[in-house]
């Protein structure tokens, strides 16, 4: 049985019997299962040719869908059960989300061709007799996709929603703004996209590379594009977390509206959208006018990302250099007026302001672990990226945490040593390394560990110029990550990686059917390489910090 993520309980039939389906199975969709029924008819229907008509009154259907909240037991509200036998397929979820994850398992059981967009000639369909009971370890199972450095069109984002859902991942964190581009339409501030969404050229490779791509780069999502993404994701039980970066990573916004920057230190009117990578010195000015401006941004954002599907709003808060604030009379006067502890206190003031502002509107702020500097905002959650330490400190203080340490789950980091890896960044993180990632550090107390909402893998796209490059970095490692955050695995050193690798043989065929340009186990294919383009490889094992 080649299921990924591996289910909690799976009992196959000892005699190897199979249920043959077709040519036109009948579907019985109970109350509350309508969304999953639509998904099955659309996705499985395209691959198999089935229309899955509803069962006649009193007739026994080949496939039966049910919601049973009482049946969740210890496996939680996203749990599901599957029973396949002579009487057909019974798929039960503790909730619509649980039922949907069960439908994903059903699709895997049908085989890789169930992932195609049209039926293959002569293909027949069957399922093994089996009983499965399953549910996730964590409620936050995410992927951060950086669409600011290199823009991905709307259809590419929708495709990634489907890829997340296929792996039972339920959070898509969209990094929408940075120095190199502003990707969300804000109607009251049109220059954010008229100016901020476009840069004149891009560094080709790491910032040490002497090469440039002289083609202007950019793009943005209209508010209706984002509404479509949010609705599409919600149908697949994926939450979308938008990120608007403050107070650093803001040169694209300052290029569009120079008054947002530290005008008493820098000629902000001369700034353009940044064409390079790294940490940028141009940060937001700590003024009431800037707060009002970004409140306007967030007001429109909250309308596009409704609370019931996007309760968290990410405000960045990372990598904010303080040199301009140190040199700015306006910033120094603000520090004195507020009575905060220097420039770190000023950054904390920024974050605390939006923490309160979002809380008043029924949302929760989440930010990178730098928001711990100068004092953690009372209601804030933390994305712990510089290692485990920030997450440990936040969890021990009673704050919720999403673990995403760069040393373990930054998928822009290279997958192997050697010269064939395209634009190699960071530490080597193999498929096995990701499979042995543990989101909950053993030093956490039981009470603090309860604040670990889950984990996410992060994908920064400075050296990923298109969808194919993103696919190469993300897959197959996202499959390993998905199993880590869904399944209740043993301790990292005790995990059966050989078994996982064996199950990946079938999973590669699923990815092939989906058209994913993953890194093959034997190394990159010729067109996946980028010879002569500098990266930034780091040698040795990553520190556990």
């Amino acid at each position: 049985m080649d299921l990924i993520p591996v289910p909690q309980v799976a009992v196959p039939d000892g005699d190897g019997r199979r249920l043959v389906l077709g040519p036109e199975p009948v579907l019985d969709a109970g109350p509350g299962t309508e969304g999953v029924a639509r998904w099955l008819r659309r996705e499985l229907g395209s691959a198999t040719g089935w229309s899955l008509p509803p069962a006649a009154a009193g007739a026994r259907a080949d496939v039966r869908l049910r919601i049973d909240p009482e049946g969740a037991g210890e496996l939680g509200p996203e749990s599901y059960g599957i029973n396949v036998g002579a009487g057909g397929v019974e798929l039960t979820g503790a909730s619509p989300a649980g039922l949907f994850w069960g439908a994903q398992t059903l699709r895997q059981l049908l085989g890789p061709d169930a992932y195609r967009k049209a039926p293959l000639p002569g293909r027949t369909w069957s399922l093994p007799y089996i009983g499965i009971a399953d549910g996730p370890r964590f409620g936050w199972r995410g992927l951060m996709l950086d669409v600011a450095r290199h823009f991905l069109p709307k259809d590419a984002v929708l495709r990634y929603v489907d890829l997340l859902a296929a792996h039972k991942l339920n959070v898509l964190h969209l990094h929408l703004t940075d120095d190199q581009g502003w990707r969300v339409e804000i109607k009251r501030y049109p220059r954010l996209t008229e100016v901020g969404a476009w840069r004149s050229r891009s560094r080709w490779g790491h910032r040490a590379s002497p090469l440039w791509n002289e083609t202007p780069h950019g793009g943005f999502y209209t508010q209706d594009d984002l509404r479509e993404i949010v609705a599409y994701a919600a149908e697949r039980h994926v939450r979308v977390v938008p990120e608007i970066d403050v107070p650093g990573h803001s040169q694209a916004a300052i290029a569009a509206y120079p008054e947002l920057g530290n005008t008493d230190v820098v000629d902000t009117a001369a700034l353009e959208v940044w064409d390079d990578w790294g940490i940028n010195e141009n940060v937001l000015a700590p003024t009431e006018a800037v707060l009002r401006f970004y409140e306007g941004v967030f007001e429109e954002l909250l309308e596009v990302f409704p609370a019931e599907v996007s309760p968290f709003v990410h405000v960045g808060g990372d990598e904010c250099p303080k040199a301009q604030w140190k040199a700015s009379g306006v910033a120094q006067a603000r520090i004195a007026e507020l009575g905060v502890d220097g420039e770190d206190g000023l950054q904390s003031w920024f974050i605390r302001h939006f923490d309160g502002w979002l809380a008043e509107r029924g949302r929760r702020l989440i930010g990178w672990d730098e928001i711990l500097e100068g004092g953690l905002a009372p209601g804030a959650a933390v994305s712990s990226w510089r290692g485990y330490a920030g997450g440990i400190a936040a969890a021990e203080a009673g704050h919720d945490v999403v673990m995403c340490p760069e040393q373990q789950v930054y998928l822009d980091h290279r997958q192997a040593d050697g010269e064939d890896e395209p634009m190699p960044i960071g530490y080597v993180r193999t498929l096995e390394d990701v499979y042995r990632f543990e989101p909950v550090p053993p030093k956490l107390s039981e009470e603090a560990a309860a604040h670990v909402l889950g984990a996410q893998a992060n994908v920064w796209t400075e050296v990923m110029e298109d969808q194919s490059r993103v696919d190469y970095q993300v897959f197959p490692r996202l499959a390993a990550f998905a199993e880590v955050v869904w399944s209740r695995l043993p301790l990292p050193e005790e995990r059966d990686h050989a078994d996982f690798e064996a199950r990946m043989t079938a999973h590669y065929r699923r990815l092939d059917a989906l058209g994913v340009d993953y890194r093959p186990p034997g190394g990159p294919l010729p067109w996946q390489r980028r010879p002569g383009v500098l990266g930034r490889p780091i040698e040795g094992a990553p520190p556990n910090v």
Side-chain angles (χ1 to χ4, degrees):
M1 187 180 60
D2 297 316
L3 299 176
I4 291 177
V6 67
Q8 300 304 310
V9 178
V11 183
D13 176 65
D15 297 325
R17 291 175 292 177
R18 297 186 71 86
L19 172 69
V20 177
L21 292 167
E24 191 59 271
V26 173
L27 178 65
D28 176 6
T33 70
E34 296 83 4
V36 173
R38 281 195 303 272
W39 184 87
L40 286 171
R41 288 184 171 116
R42 182 175 59 247
E43 300 297 329
L44 284 190
S46 65
T48 62
W50 298 337
S51 60
L52 293 172
R60 186 169 182 82
D62 301 287
V63 180
R64 299 176 294 281
L65 307 179
R66 296 291 183 268
I67 301 292
D68 179 15
E70 301 302 319
E74 295 181 358
L75 296 180
E78 291 184 83
S79 65
Y80 69 90
I82 296 178
N83 282 289
V84 181
V89 181
E90 184 90 33
L91 181 53
T92 304
S95 64
L99 189 72
F100 182 73
W101 307 130
Q104 296 292 345
T105 299
L106 180 67
R107 192 185 195 185
Q108 288 197 17
L109 289 169
L110 283 167
D113 288 339
Y115 290 82
R116 297 191 180 276
K117 296 296 186 185
L120 300 181
R123 181 71 166 86
T124 59
W125 301 94
S126 66
L127 292 164
Y129 282 23
I130 196 168
I132 295 174
D134 197 14
R137 179 185 178 192
F138 293 108
W140 187 300
R141 308 179 300 278
L143 177 75
M144 190 287 300
L145 197 55
D146 171 20
V147 295
R149 271 54 176 271
H150 277 100
F151 179 66
L152 283 176
K154 179 193 69 178
D155 286 353
V157 177
L158 296 176
R159 173 179 177 267
Y160 259 85
V161 170
D162 280 325
L163 290 172
L164 293 186
H167 292 82
K168 298 187 177 72
L169 299 173
N170 68 344
V171 175
L172 175 61
H173 170 176
L174 282 180
H175 182 71
L176 291 167
T177 71
D178 215 297
D179 301 301
Q180 298 87 357
W182 184 284
R183 307 293 178 215
V184 51
E185 175 191 33
I186 302 298
K187 293 182 178 179
R188 72 187 72 183
Y189 305 130
R191 288 177 58 83
L192 286 173
T193 47
E194 290 171 359
V195 174
W198 309 93
R199 62 177 182 263
S200 61
R201 64 176 187 169
S202 304
R203 176 83 69 178
W204 182 234
H206 181 254
R207 59 182 176 270
S209 169
L211 305 176
W212 292 87
N213 181 343
E214 297 291 345
T215 303
H217 179 84
F220 65 93
Y221 310 107
T222 68
Q223 292 189 4
D224 282 345
D225 288 339
L226 289 167
R227 289 186 183 95
E228 179 184 354
I229 290 168
V230 168
Y232 189 90
E235 282 186 349
R236 290 150 181 80
H237 301 278
V238 174
R239 289 175 285 151
V240 183
V241 176
E243 179 180 350
I244 303 293
D245 232 320
V246 297
H249 288 290
S250 297
Q251 182 161 322
I254 296 168
Y257 291 93
E259 64 271 22
L260 297 175
N262 295 284
T263 56
D264 61 336
V265 176
V266 177
D267 179 10
T268 56
L271 294 177
E272 297 179 346
V273 178
W274 206 26
D275 58 11
D276 211 346
W277 318 125
I279 299 175
N280 189 293
E281 293 289 331
N282 292 297
V283 302
L284 297 175
T287 66
E288 289 296 323
V290 168
L291 294 185
R292 300 294 87 74
F293 183 97
Y294 273 84
E295 286 171 1
V297 169
F298 283 117
E299 280 177 8
E300 293 193 24
L301 197 77
L302 296 192
E303 196 275 324
V304 173
F305 293 85
E308 57 270 21
V309 292
S310 297
F312 283 90
V313 174
H314 208 291
V315 299
D318 63 317
E319 296 178 333
C320 179
K322 309 299 194 298
Q324 289 185 2
W325 288 351
K326 289 179 185 294
S328 166
V330 171
Q332 293 303 309
R334 193 64 156 165
I335 289 170
E337 176 192 345
L338 295 169
V340 297
D341 184 14
E343 291 76 23
D344 282 348
L346 203 55
Q347 179 170 345
S348 179
W349 166 79
F350 253 104
I351 302 303
R352 285 173 179 270
H353 174 82
F354 286 106
D355 179 57
W357 190 93
L358 288 166
E360 288 172 1
R361 290 154 181 82
R363 304 302 178 95
R364 292 195 61 192
L365 178 145
I366 185 167
W368 304 112
D369 55 53
E370 284 94 332
I371 68 174
L372 293 163
E373 296 168 6
L376 187 62
V382 169
S383 300
S384 188
W385 76 272
R386 291 181 293 181
Y388 288 105
I392 291 170
E396 293 286 6
H399 294 272
D400 288 340
V401 175
V402 176
M403 288 294 188
C404 47
E406 63 171 330
Q407 300 85 355
Q408 278 76 34
V409 289
Y410 267 35
L411 300 186
D412 40 297
H413 284 207
R414 58 193 172 132
Q415 302 183 64
D417 209 345
E419 296 181 359
D420 284 343
E421 292 303 309
M423 304 187 206
I425 299 295
Y427 298 100
V428 172
R429 293 287 83 194
T430 65
L431 185 67
E432 181 173 358
D433 290 330
V434 175
Y435 191 65
R436 298 193 189 281
F437 165 59
E438 173 49 49
V440 181
K443 65 175 67 174
L444 273 185
S445 67
E446 186 175 344
E447 182 181 0
H451 284 288
V452 178
L453 301 177
Q456 70 182 32
N458 291 342
V459 184
W460 300 103
T461 61
E462 288 93 335
V463 298
M464 295 179 224
E465 71 277 11
D466 56 26
Q467 176 180 287
S468 179
R469 276 287 289 125
V470 174
D471 278 4
Y472 178 90
Q473 292 299 135
V474 170
F475 290 100
R477 293 182 294 180
L478 192 69
F481 175 81
E483 184 149 308
V484 166
V485 292
W486 176 278
S487 306
R488 290 166 173 81
L489 298 176
L491 294 172
E493 61 274 12
E494 298 171 4
R495 293 175 189 171
D496 190 346
H497 180 255
D499 172 72
F500 174 76
E501 224 171 17
R503 286 182 282 119
M504 279 299 297
T505 301
H507 201 67
Y508 286 121
R509 296 200 297 273
R510 296 180 193 123
L511 297 177
D512 286 333
L514 287 165
V516 176
D517 290 330
Y518 59 85
R519 181 189 188 276
L525 299 168
W527 61 85
Q528 293 174 321
R529 299 169 186 155
R530 299 291 186 275
V533 184
L534 285 179
R536 186 183 60 91
I538 305 174
E539 302 302 330
N544 189 359
V545 293

